[in-house]
Amino acid sequence: MMRKVWALLLLAPLAAAAQQTPFWPDKDEVLKRFGSSRALEQNSQNKIYKTGVNAHWSADGRTFWYCNEGKGGAKEYILADAASGTKRPAFDAQQLAGALGKATGDTYDGRRLVIPAMTFSADGKEVRFETDGKYWRCNLHDYTLQRADSLPKPPPPRRNYRPGRWESFETRRRSPDNQWVALIDKGNIYLRHTGRGDTLQYTTDGTPAKPYGSLAWSPDSKYLVCYRVTPVADSSVYYILTSMGGTRGQLRSQLYKQPGDPFTTYEMHLLTVGKPGAVKVNTEIIDFFDAPRLHWRKDARYFMYEKVDRGHQRFRIIEVDAQTAATRTVVDERSNTFIQEARIFTKYLPDTDEILWTSEKDGWRHLYLVDALTGRVKNPVTAGEWVVRDIDSVDVQKREVWFRANGMHAGEDPYHIHHYRIGFNGKKLVQLTPEKGHHFVTYSPDKKYYIDTYSQIGVPHVTELRSTATGRKIMELERADVTEYFATGIAPVESFTAKGRDGKTDIWGIVCRPSNFDTSKKYPIIENIYAGPHDAFVPKSFTGNFRDMQYLAELGFIVVQIDGMGTANRSKAFHDVCWKNIADAGFPDRILWMKALAKKYPYVDTGRVGLYGTSAGGQNALGGLLFHPEFYKAAVSACGCHDNRIDKQWWNEQWMGYPVGPHYDAQSNITHAHKLQGKLLLIVGEADTNVPPESTYRVVDALIRARKDFDFLAVPGMGHSDGGPYGRMKRYQFFVKHLLGVEAPLGGQ
């Protein structure tokens, strides 16, 4: 009923903006709202049931059991038969509880049996299970029990593991045929025969300061790839723990690579077993990241490796001829902006001399089939104005790719993930998750069936069992029960979209409202911001957690979260906005989105706008005040990476480029701190090992030198966070003061 009332309220025509009166509560009302927010937070916990299925499959891959948890910890065990499309209670819980009580002398509640593991006989007449650390066999006809020593092992879960791009060499010193062991002594390489025991020196120019290392054998044990290594020791960053006891603070340090810092370099060489000496491979020194993983052809003469150039604008797959040390480039991708190295997928197919490879070269992230012998793209595997999000698995025998994607479904939130499979030739695309929503899929051990759980931000979860061969729905397993949750009065979260700065691109976000808001009032708006370019951040699944955003909303705010341009999971052009431009943070899109929200809902007051964020979001929160003071009036910035030269190398060079140039300074919050106009609360944990605390302290220094008024909270002993419970209470107090005009006690108490 509550959801229907809210739907009518949101869809009904609202009064003109001129008829709205600003919401300016007095102190008593604010204190009351703090109390009701805490009560609603407590009352809404654990009020949503059946949000998914954790399936425990039988060895034959036909049946599985799962447990539904209900009100008060009640448990319901279900046995499903995938082949027949039926499900039923796994056992009579009351009879089983009685049998356990009789066998042990203890009391068991059939509604709350805790059974972490069980298996059923092929005919379904017996169940073996574990409870309280003991194993039992139960005849399901008469519920007689017998003790058991153990349970049959369940089939292992499917894992779609693929190795990383960079090799781990410490275990690669023994040759595949076990005939040779590679040794390094005083920087030089020796090979010792495991049978004869004789040792032969292969290099002579290595030194402890510039040794040979990072070894990798060919599959036939004829060649050993090694590197002349020029080590670089990273510099340290420091912090002081002030409250560790005693009378002195304790200094801590950690190695920390920042933008512009040098890398250890690797010069590739080849050794041929039985031929002392090392031959330098005709290729560039690897001066970015570690030594690469090698991918050998079937003939074991040629191998390929991947190279990402510093600056993230070039990615190559390079082939090496182990006989001649000659090289050729198989794949050479270049970008005028950036290539997101962490999202490059490659799968080498030595039996057919092919490579599966993802690229955004056509403006969207897609999968390509490459001829490894010629470097020619044989065909796109996927294509269109949508994004391949991840590769679940590759079936080499059937020449199929199983993958996740977003944006393929017209009329739907383009961030919703759906699951598919397709042939290597780009044909026979099978849609595995046709229903509208954000999907999560798990497969049976033999991959004959899969369980699909989907939802939307405002639509609760549905879980279905489907056939992998066709995608056909076999049966609905569960549908989330949200009755108790919405009976608390909590407001549904709304998904909202508006056009971005180009007037064409849809920008997506969510809206949280107070549960008791009055449409005749105008409420301040607060944005929860995180504009890190590495991903998108607005939730897409139904969430029943009483989140920080809802707590703020209950105090008398409209709280929103938005993915503006410059974030990931859309087109390359959408993402490229961040290139050497992190300070943009999608603000032009965010501001237009909030103005569109206010146009639709006149109770949204864009004259009183705040924002808060942590880490990159902390950088963004302060950036809103510095670069858009005409719109944002108050900000809480926690643990911000306020200057991209101070933060970690791998993240910042990916988006801001290399070498470090004037654009780093031009976008620094420290550089622009003197422009501060709005109200600001800075929070930092003194033990932050993610973003050095001096990033925030230098903002503080710049603000003091500019004689700016601001609030500052340093939390002793705290790491990288939003300030923890105390910091969040300070945030609530801060926004109540500066956007509602009320001086409230900390936490409203």
Side-chain angles (χ1 to χ4, degrees), residues 261-553:
D261 285 354
F263 277 77
T264 293
T265 63
Y266 300 84
E267 185 179 61
M268 186 182 288
H269 288 72
L270 274 161
L271 278 64
T272 302
V273 175
K275 244 176 114 178
V279 179
K280 182 183 178 302
V281 175
N282 184 25
T283 190
E284 301 169 24
I285 290 176
I286 296 166
D287 60 356
F288 188 49
F289 294 150
D290 297 325
R293 182 175 293 274
L294 309 182
H295 305 272
W296 291 85
R297 276 209 228 155
K298 287 184 71 176
D299 60 13
R301 172 177 170 177
Y302 300 89
F303 66 86
M304 289 175 283
Y305 71 94
E306 299 174 9
K307 186 177 191 302
V308 177
D309 285 10
R310 192 163 188 179
H312 299 274
Q313 292 183 288
R314 190 180 188 189
F315 168 75
R316 282 174 284 176
I317 299 176
I318 298 170
E319 182 188 79
V320 178
D321 183 338
Q323 282 189 7
T324 67
T327 61
R328 70 180 180 91
T329 300
V330 179
V331 169
D332 191 347
E333 182 180 18
R334 303 173 191 241
S335 173
N336 292 327
T337 55
F338 61 86
I339 298 169
Q340 190 172 359
E341 179 273 328
R343 293 199 176 190
I344 299 171
F345 171 86
T346 50
K347 171 71 174 179
Y348 293 82
L349 309 170
D351 288 341
T352 54
D353 289 314
E354 295 171 311
I355 307 168
L356 287 167
W357 162 58
T358 55
S359 170
E360 291 183 290
K361 64 192 184 74
D362 77 341
W364 302 82
R365 185 176 187 239
H366 281 298
L367 189 62
Y368 297 86
L369 184 65
V370 178
D371 186 325
L373 300 180
T374 66
R376 179 180 60 88
V377 173
K378 298 177 75 170
N379 59 263
V381 179
T382 61
E385 293 189 355
W386 46 274
V387 178
V388 172
R389 285 289 290 274
D390 206 354
I391 309 301
D392 287 330
S393 63
V394 175
D395 189 324
V396 177
Q397 282 70 41
K398 293 183 178 179
R399 293 180 66 79
E400 291 179 337
V401 182
W402 302 63
F403 67 98
R404 283 168 273 169
N406 63 268
M408 198 185 299
H409 287 234
E412 188 174 341
D413 185 328
Y415 293 92
H416 283 167
I417 287 179
H418 288 265
H419 293 246
Y420 308 86
R421 76 169 180 270
I422 195 170
F424 285 7
N425 60 3
K427 298 179 181 179
K428 296 184 179 179
L429 176 70
V430 175
Q431 159 70 276
L432 297 173
T433 55
E435 302 296 336
K436 183 176 181 179
H438 193 64
H439 292 257
F440 176 76
V441 164
T442 59
Y443 294 93
S444 62
D446 60 6
K447 220 171 182 181
K448 187 175 181 180
Y449 305 102
Y450 62 97
I451 294 171
D452 175 22
T453 299
Y454 59 93
S455 67
Q456 300 173 54
I457 192 65
V459 181
H461 303 78
V462 176
T463 301
E464 299 173 342
L465 176 68
R466 290 180 174 268
S467 164
T468 303
T470 63
R472 176 182 63 87
K473 176 181 172 181
I474 296 173
M475 63 173 158
E476 181 178 298
L477 293 171
E478 300 296 341
R479 187 172 290 262
D481 181 354
V482 297
T483 306
E484 289 186 20
Y485 179 72
F486 283 114
T488 63
I490 198 167
V493 178
E494 180 189 359
S495 177
F496 184 78
T497 183
K499 298 301 179 184
R501 69 188 77 180
D502 60 3
K504 299 181 296 184
T505 304
D506 286 335
I507 304 298
W508 290 78
I510 59 173
V511 186
C512 295
R513 300 171 176 81
S515 57
N516 61 346
F517 85 102
D518 181 349
T519 58
S520 69
K521 304 291 185 182
K522 289 179 74 72
Y523 294 85
I525 186 168
I526 297 175
E527 181 183 0
N528 173 12
I529 189 169
Y530 190 97
H534 54 282
D535 211 334
F537 306 97
V538 175
K540 298 300 171 184
S541 298
F542 182 83
T543 174
N545 296 328
F546 191 92
R547 302 183 313 149
D548 190 45
M549 289 175 63
Q550 190 62 44
Y551 194 109
L552 256 179

Side-chain angles (χ1 to χ4, degrees), residues 239-252 686 716:
Y239 57 96
I240 296 175
L241 299 179
T242 59
S243 303
M244 295 291 289
T247 59
R248 292 176 173 86
Q250 296 185 15
L251 180 65
R252 296 286 188 270
E686 71 173 10

Side-chain angles (χ1 to χ4, degrees), residues 36 79 121 180 184 349 558 597 673:
S36 62
L79 181 64
S121 62
W180 300 95
I184 299 175
L349 309 170
I558 306 298
L597 183 71

Side-chain angles (χ1 to χ4, degrees), residues 80-92:
D81 188 319
S84 65
T86 59
K87 63 173 187 170
R88 60 177 175 80
F91 45 76
D92 186 309

